[in-house]
Amino acid sequence: MGKKKMIQEKNKKIKWIPLVSIVLVASFIFLAGCLDNEPGNADADNGELIPGAVMEISQDTFSMSDLIEFDIRNTGNTNLMFGRTFDIEFYNASSAAWEPVEMDMVVTMDMIILTPGEVFTQGFTPEEVFVNEIEEGQYRIKKVVSVVETDESMELEETFMIEARF
């Protein structure tokens, strides 16, 4: 009888091992899920919408025949929405005012959505799209983007120079 009792006690211990193992693994998984392992913006963690965007140009000075490319970068935690249209203005030093530049350019009516961190690149060549004679001087690109979640809009702008190069 002593041998039979010892086997029964051993079987009782063996039955508890899988149950204890499952509880321990489940506890580790639960605790790991509670940890905040992602670095990020503290305001973004609390659900606050922080829209942000920048326009960037690779250089400051171009010739009349250069391809001028500009990037729209979503720097916020919201989705941005915009089309392919943009405006160009020339700074008239004699009147100290920005004047619109007439362009002959076909753009599609696409709606572009930029998620946080994404970049969209667009470009033009002045001698191909400017209707009137190109003047040397300071220009700026202006583009309006909207925040998808709030429908507010932001106007982005970036200045550059056009010089005649021979």
Side-chain angles (χ1 to χ4, degrees), residues 47-80:
E48 184 179 344
L49 296 177
I50 304 171
V54 294
M55 182 185 298
E56 300 169 326
I57 298 179
S58 62
Q59 59 192 57
D60 295 330
T61 305
F62 298 90
S63 74
M64 297 172 191
S65 61
D66 285 342
L67 172 64
I68 300 173
E69 288 187 317
F70 57 96
D71 294 336
I72 307 297
R73 180 179 309 277
N74 185 344
T75 60
N77 68 353
T78 61
N79 291 319
L80 300 178

mmCIF file of all heavy atoms in Angstrom, residues 47-80:
data_model
loop_
_atom_site.group_PDB
_atom_site.id
_atom_site.type_symbol
_atom_site.label_atom_id
_atom_site.label_comp_id
_atom_site.label_asym_id
_atom_site.label_seq_id
_atom_site.Cartn_x
_atom_site.Cartn_y
_atom_site.Cartn_z
ATOM 1 N N GLY A 47 -4.589 61.042 -26.795
ATOM 2 C CA GLY A 47 -5.641 61.175 -27.799
ATOM 3 C C GLY A 47 -5.785 62.558 -28.399
ATOM 4 O O GLY A 47 -6.649 62.777 -29.225
ATOM 5 N N GLU A 48 -4.955 63.497 -28.009
ATOM 6 C CA GLU A 48 -5.047 64.857 -28.545
ATOM 7 C C GLU A 48 -4.567 64.876 -29.990
ATOM 8 O O GLU A 48 -3.538 64.314 -30.327
ATOM 9 C CB GLU A 48 -4.197 65.811 -27.710
ATOM 10 C CG GLU A 48 -4.307 67.245 -28.146
ATOM 11 C CD GLU A 48 -3.479 68.177 -27.287
ATOM 12 O OE1 GLU A 48 -3.063 67.779 -26.192
ATOM 13 O OE2 GLU A 48 -3.239 69.303 -27.735
ATOM 14 N N LEU A 49 -5.350 65.522 -30.861
ATOM 15 C CA LEU A 49 -4.976 65.642 -32.267
ATOM 16 C C LEU A 49 -4.009 66.806 -32.430
ATOM 17 O O LEU A 49 -4.302 67.928 -32.017
ATOM 18 C CB LEU A 49 -6.214 65.865 -33.132
ATOM 19 C CG LEU A 49 -7.228 64.731 -33.154
ATOM 20 C CD1 LEU A 49 -8.436 65.112 -33.994
ATOM 21 C CD2 LEU A 49 -6.599 63.458 -33.668
ATOM 22 N N ILE A 50 -2.865 66.521 -33.035
ATOM 23 C CA ILE A 50 -1.855 67.546 -33.245
ATOM 24 C C ILE A 50 -1.524 67.588 -34.731
ATOM 25 O O ILE A 50 -0.693 66.825 -35.211
ATOM 26 C CB ILE A 50 -0.590 67.268 -32.421
ATOM 27 C CG1 ILE A 50 -0.947 67.129 -30.950
ATOM 28 C CG2 ILE A 50 0.452 68.361 -32.644
ATOM 29 C CD1 ILE A 50 0.182 66.635 -30.093
ATOM 30 N N PRO A 51 -2.218 68.461 -35.485
ATOM 31 C CA PRO A 51 -1.912 68.545 -36.917
ATOM 32 C C PRO A 51 -0.587 69.273 -37.142
ATOM 33 O O PRO A 51 -0.205 70.145 -36.371
ATOM 34 C CB PRO A 51 -3.076 69.349 -37.481
ATOM 35 C CG PRO A 51 -3.624 70.114 -36.336
ATOM 36 C CD PRO A 51 -3.305 69.333 -35.093
ATOM 37 N N GLY A 52 0.096 68.885 -38.191
ATOM 38 C CA GLY A 52 1.341 69.554 -38.529
ATOM 39 C C GLY A 52 1.805 69.163 -39.915
ATOM 40 O O GLY A 52 1.646 68.021 -40.328
ATOM 41 N N ALA A 53 2.368 70.124 -40.625
ATOM 42 C CA ALA A 53 2.897 69.858 -41.964
ATOM 43 C C ALA A 53 3.952 70.897 -42.287
ATOM 44 O O ALA A 53 3.890 72.022 -41.793
ATOM 45 C CB ALA A 53 1.779 69.911 -43.003
ATOM 46 N N VAL A 54 4.910 70.506 -43.099
ATOM 47 C CA VAL A 54 5.926 71.433 -43.585
ATOM 48 C C VAL A 54 6.113 71.216 -45.078
ATOM 49 O O VAL A 54 5.895 70.125 -45.595
ATOM 50 C CB VAL A 54 7.290 71.269 -42.865
ATOM 51 C CG1 VAL A 54 7.185 71.654 -41.410
ATOM 52 C CG2 VAL A 54 7.829 69.865 -43.015
ATOM 53 N N MET A 55 6.509 72.294 -45.740
ATOM 54 C CA MET A 55 6.879 72.227 -47.144
ATOM 55 C C MET A 55 8.381 72.440 -47.202
ATOM 56 O O MET A 55 8.905 73.351 -46.551
ATOM 57 C CB MET A 55 6.166 73.299 -47.954
ATOM 58 C CG MET A 55 6.470 73.249 -49.441
ATOM 59 S SD MET A 55 5.746 74.608 -50.383
ATOM 60 C CE MET A 55 4.026 74.352 -50.134
ATOM 61 N N GLU A 56 9.074 71.616 -47.972
ATOM 62 C CA GLU A 56 10.525 71.707 -48.072
ATOM 63 C C GLU A 56 10.943 71.681 -49.536
ATOM 64 O O GLU A 56 10.371 70.945 -50.341
ATOM 65 C CB GLU A 56 11.185 70.531 -47.351
ATOM 66 C CG GLU A 56 10.843 70.472 -45.871
ATOM 67 C CD GLU A 56 11.263 69.169 -45.213
ATOM 68 O OE1 GLU A 56 11.214 68.112 -45.889
ATOM 69 O OE2 GLU A 56 11.617 69.208 -44.033
ATOM 70 N N ILE A 57 11.952 72.499 -49.860
ATOM 71 C CA ILE A 57 12.546 72.516 -51.197
ATOM 72 C C ILE A 57 14.016 72.152 -51.024
ATOM 73 O O ILE A 57 14.664 72.600 -50.081
ATOM 74 C CB ILE A 57 12.417 73.904 -51.851
ATOM 75 C CG1 ILE A 57 10.951 74.276 -52.033
ATOM 76 C CG2 ILE A 57 13.116 73.932 -53.203
ATOM 77 C CD1 ILE A 57 10.722 75.637 -52.654
ATOM 78 N N SER A 58 14.551 71.380 -51.963
ATOM 79 C CA SER A 58 15.910 70.864 -51.825
ATOM 80 C C SER A 58 16.996 71.935 -51.915
ATOM 81 O O SER A 58 18.084 71.757 -51.391
ATOM 82 C CB SER A 58 16.174 69.782 -52.871
ATOM 83 O OG SER A 58 16.059 70.341 -54.168
ATOM 84 N N GLN A 59 16.729 73.049 -52.589
ATOM 85 C CA GLN A 59 17.719 74.124 -52.703
ATOM 86 C C GLN A 59 17.003 75.466 -52.722
ATOM 87 O O GLN A 59 15.786 75.528 -52.858
ATOM 88 C CB GLN A 59 18.589 73.934 -53.949
ATOM 89 C CG GLN A 59 17.810 73.903 -55.259
ATOM 90 C CD GLN A 59 18.655 73.435 -56.422
ATOM 91 O OE1 GLN A 59 19.205 72.346 -56.360
ATOM 92 N NE2 GLN A 59 18.744 74.238 -57.464
ATOM 93 N N ASP A 60 17.771 76.541 -52.589
ATOM 94 C CA ASP A 60 17.189 77.880 -52.512
ATOM 95 C C ASP A 60 17.120 78.601 -53.849
ATOM 96 O O ASP A 60 16.305 79.497 -54.030
ATOM 97 C CB ASP A 60 17.996 78.754 -51.539
ATOM 98 C CG ASP A 60 17.913 78.248 -50.114
ATOM 99 O OD1 ASP A 60 16.887 77.649 -49.755
ATOM 100 O OD2 ASP A 60 18.889 78.445 -49.360
ATOM 101 N N THR A 61 18.010 78.237 -54.789
ATOM 102 C CA THR A 61 18.107 78.966 -56.051
ATOM 103 C C THR A 61 18.024 78.000 -57.225
ATOM 104 O O THR A 61 18.662 76.942 -57.223
ATOM 105 C CB THR A 61 19.439 79.743 -56.109
ATOM 106 O OG1 THR A 61 19.532 80.583 -54.955
ATOM 107 C CG2 THR A 61 19.508 80.608 -57.356
ATOM 108 N N PHE A 62 17.236 78.408 -58.235
ATOM 109 C CA PHE A 62 17.021 77.590 -59.428
ATOM 110 C C PHE A 62 17.192 78.458 -60.662
ATOM 111 O O PHE A 62 17.081 79.678 -60.598
ATOM 112 C CB PHE A 62 15.597 77.019 -59.440
ATOM 113 C CG PHE A 62 15.300 76.110 -58.276
ATOM 114 C CD1 PHE A 62 14.782 76.615 -57.090
ATOM 115 C CD2 PHE A 62 15.527 74.749 -58.371
ATOM 116 C CE1 PHE A 62 14.502 75.778 -56.021
ATOM 117 C CE2 PHE A 62 15.248 73.904 -57.312
ATOM 118 C CZ PHE A 62 14.737 74.416 -56.134
ATOM 119 N N SER A 63 17.404 77.801 -61.798
ATOM 120 C CA SER A 63 17.376 78.516 -63.076
ATOM 121 C C SER A 63 15.964 78.386 -63.640
ATOM 122 O O SER A 63 15.137 77.635 -63.102
ATOM 123 C CB SER A 63 18.398 77.936 -64.054
ATOM 124 O OG SER A 63 17.947 76.695 -64.561
ATOM 125 N N MET A 64 15.706 79.057 -64.732
ATOM 126 C CA MET A 64 14.370 79.050 -65.327
ATOM 127 C C MET A 64 13.996 77.681 -65.906
ATOM 128 O O MET A 64 12.824 77.367 -66.044
ATOM 129 C CB MET A 64 14.280 80.116 -66.413
ATOM 130 C CG MET A 64 14.472 81.508 -65.858
ATOM 131 S SD MET A 64 14.605 82.718 -67.173
ATOM 132 C CE MET A 64 15.159 84.138 -66.245
ATOM 133 N N SER A 65 15.005 76.881 -66.212
ATOM 134 C CA SER A 65 14.746 75.573 -66.815
ATOM 135 C C SER A 65 14.869 74.412 -65.822
ATOM 136 O O SER A 65 14.695 73.259 -66.204
ATOM 137 C CB SER A 65 15.699 75.341 -67.982
ATOM 138 O OG SER A 65 17.033 75.368 -67.530
ATOM 139 N N ASP A 66 15.177 74.703 -64.574
ATOM 140 C CA ASP A 66 15.308 73.645 -63.559
ATOM 141 C C ASP A 66 13.942 73.088 -63.151
ATOM 142 O O ASP A 66 12.946 73.825 -63.117
ATOM 143 C CB ASP A 66 15.986 74.176 -62.288
ATOM 144 C CG ASP A 66 17.478 74.373 -62.446
ATOM 145 O OD1 ASP A 66 18.066 73.812 -63.386
ATOM 146 O OD2 ASP A 66 18.053 75.103 -61.609
ATOM 147 N N LEU A 67 13.932 71.811 -62.823
ATOM 148 C CA LEU A 67 12.756 71.205 -62.201
ATOM 149 C C LEU A 67 12.783 71.594 -60.734
ATOM 150 O O LEU A 67 13.752 71.308 -60.021
ATOM 151 C CB LEU A 67 12.783 69.684 -62.354
ATOM 152 C CG LEU A 67 11.701 68.923 -61.585
ATOM 153 C CD1 LEU A 67 10.305 69.285 -62.106
ATOM 154 C CD2 LEU A 67 11.935 67.421 -61.679
ATOM 155 N N ILE A 68 11.748 72.278 -60.292
ATOM 156 C CA ILE A 68 11.644 72.691 -58.892
ATOM 157 C C ILE A 68 10.702 71.711 -58.203
ATOM 158 O O ILE A 68 9.505 71.690 -58.468
ATOM 159 C CB ILE A 68 11.127 74.135 -58.767
ATOM 160 C CG1 ILE A 68 12.082 75.087 -59.486
ATOM 161 C CG2 ILE A 68 10.948 74.511 -57.293
ATOM 162 C CD1 ILE A 68 11.589 76.518 -59.563
ATOM 163 N N GLU A 69 11.274 70.866 -57.353
ATOM 164 C CA GLU A 69 10.466 69.891 -56.616
ATOM 165 C C GLU A 69 10.322 70.345 -55.168
ATOM 166 O O GLU A 69 11.273 70.870 -54.580
ATOM 167 C CB GLU A 69 11.110 68.510 -56.659
ATOM 168 C CG GLU A 69 11.018 67.848 -58.008
ATOM 169 C CD GLU A 69 11.508 66.419 -57.977
ATOM 170 O OE1 GLU A 69 12.547 66.154 -57.345
ATOM 171 O OE2 GLU A 69 10.841 65.574 -58.597
ATOM 172 N N PHE A 70 9.150 70.120 -54.636
ATOM 173 C CA PHE A 70 8.912 70.436 -53.239
ATOM 174 C C PHE A 70 8.194 69.274 -52.574
ATOM 175 O O PHE A 70 7.435 68.552 -53.205
ATOM 176 C CB PHE A 70 8.138 71.753 -53.071
ATOM 177 C CG PHE A 70 6.808 71.801 -53.774
ATOM 178 C CD1 PHE A 70 5.631 71.511 -53.092
ATOM 179 C CD2 PHE A 70 6.728 72.151 -55.116
ATOM 180 C CE1 PHE A 70 4.410 71.567 -53.743
ATOM 181 C CE2 PHE A 70 5.510 72.207 -55.771
ATOM 182 C CZ PHE A 70 4.343 71.907 -55.078
ATOM 183 N N ASP A 71 8.496 69.079 -51.291
ATOM 184 C CA ASP A 71 7.903 68.002 -50.502
ATOM 185 C C ASP A 71 6.895 68.568 -49.521
ATOM 186 O O ASP A 71 7.136 69.625 -48.915
ATOM 187 C CB ASP A 71 8.973 67.262 -49.682
ATOM 188 C CG ASP A 71 9.964 66.509 -50.539
ATOM 189 O OD1 ASP A 71 9.612 66.155 -51.677
ATOM 190 O OD2 ASP A 71 11.087 66.267 -50.061
ATOM 191 N N ILE A 72 5.802 67.854 -49.354
ATOM 192 C CA ILE A 72 4.863 68.122 -48.272
ATOM 193 C C ILE A 72 5.046 66.987 -47.281
ATOM 194 O O ILE A 72 4.881 65.811 -47.637
ATOM 195 C CB ILE A 72 3.392 68.141 -48.769
ATOM 196 C CG1 ILE A 72 3.217 69.105 -49.939
ATOM 197 C CG2 ILE A 72 2.435 68.446 -47.627
ATOM 198 C CD1 ILE A 72 3.495 70.539 -49.630
ATOM 199 N N ARG A 73 5.427 67.305 -46.060
ATOM 200 C CA ARG A 73 5.694 66.295 -45.028
ATOM 201 C C ARG A 73 4.672 66.441 -43.901
ATOM 202 O O ARG A 73 4.497 67.525 -43.356
ATOM 203 C CB ARG A 73 7.105 66.468 -44.487
ATOM 204 C CG ARG A 73 7.498 65.468 -43.405
ATOM 205 C CD ARG A 73 8.927 65.686 -42.931
ATOM 206 N NE ARG A 73 9.882 65.754 -44.026
ATOM 207 C CZ ARG A 73 10.422 64.679 -44.626
ATOM 208 N NH1 ARG A 73 10.088 63.485 -44.239
ATOM 209 N NH2 ARG A 73 11.290 64.841 -45.607
ATOM 210 N N ASN A 74 4.002 65.340 -43.564
ATOM 211 C CA ASN A 74 3.049 65.331 -42.461
ATOM 212 C C ASN A 74 3.828 65.131 -41.165
ATOM 213 O O ASN A 74 4.351 64.055 -40.897
ATOM 214 C CB ASN A 74 2.021 64.212 -42.648
ATOM 215 C CG ASN A 74 0.939 64.242 -41.603
ATOM 216 O OD1 ASN A 74 1.065 64.888 -40.567
ATOM 217 N ND2 ASN A 74 -0.136 63.527 -41.856
ATOM 218 N N THR A 75 3.921 66.187 -40.343
ATOM 219 C CA THR A 75 4.672 66.137 -39.097
ATOM 220 C C THR A 75 3.772 65.970 -37.876
ATOM 221 O O THR A 75 4.266 65.935 -36.754
ATOM 222 C CB THR A 75 5.510 67.418 -38.923
ATOM 223 O OG1 THR A 75 4.618 68.547 -38.910
ATOM 224 C CG2 THR A 75 6.523 67.570 -40.042
ATOM 225 N N GLY A 76 2.476 65.871 -38.091
ATOM 226 C CA GLY A 76 1.546 65.727 -36.968
ATOM 227 C C GLY A 76 1.112 64.293 -36.763
ATOM 228 O O GLY A 76 1.688 63.359 -37.322
ATOM 229 N N ASN A 77 0.062 64.119 -35.963
ATOM 230 C CA ASN A 77 -0.475 62.784 -35.718
ATOM 231 C C ASN A 77 -1.863 62.618 -36.344
ATOM 232 O O ASN A 77 -2.635 61.759 -35.931
ATOM 233 C CB ASN A 77 -0.502 62.475 -34.212
ATOM 234 C CG ASN A 77 -1.509 63.317 -33.454
ATOM 235 O OD1 ASN A 77 -2.115 64.239 -33.996
ATOM 236 N ND2 ASN A 77 -1.695 63.008 -32.183
ATOM 237 N N THR A 78 -2.175 63.460 -37.312
ATOM 238 C CA THR A 78 -3.456 63.389 -38.007
ATOM 239 C C THR A 78 -3.205 63.080 -39.480
ATOM 240 O O THR A 78 -2.081 63.180 -39.952
ATOM 241 C CB THR A 78 -4.203 64.738 -37.919
ATOM 242 O OG1 THR A 78 -3.395 65.743 -38.547
ATOM 243 C CG2 THR A 78 -4.503 65.131 -36.493
ATOM 244 N N ASN A 79 -4.261 62.731 -40.193
ATOM 245 C CA ASN A 79 -4.162 62.547 -41.638
ATOM 246 C C ASN A 79 -4.377 63.901 -42.313
ATOM 247 O O ASN A 79 -5.234 64.671 -41.892
ATOM 248 C CB ASN A 79 -5.212 61.557 -42.129
ATOM 249 C CG ASN A 79 -4.931 60.156 -41.657
ATOM 250 O OD1 ASN A 79 -3.791 59.710 -41.647
ATOM 251 N ND2 ASN A 79 -5.964 59.444 -41.261
ATOM 252 N N LEU A 80 -3.615 64.164 -43.361
ATOM 253 C CA LEU A 80 -3.750 65.393 -44.127
ATOM 254 C C LEU A 80 -4.332 65.072 -45.499
ATOM 255 O O LEU A 80 -4.067 64.005 -46.056
ATOM 256 C CB LEU A 80 -2.401 66.086 -44.296
ATOM 257 C CG LEU A 80 -1.694 66.505 -43.016
ATOM 258 C CD1 LEU A 80 -0.343 67.133 -43.347
ATOM 259 C CD2 LEU A 80 -2.545 67.459 -42.206
#
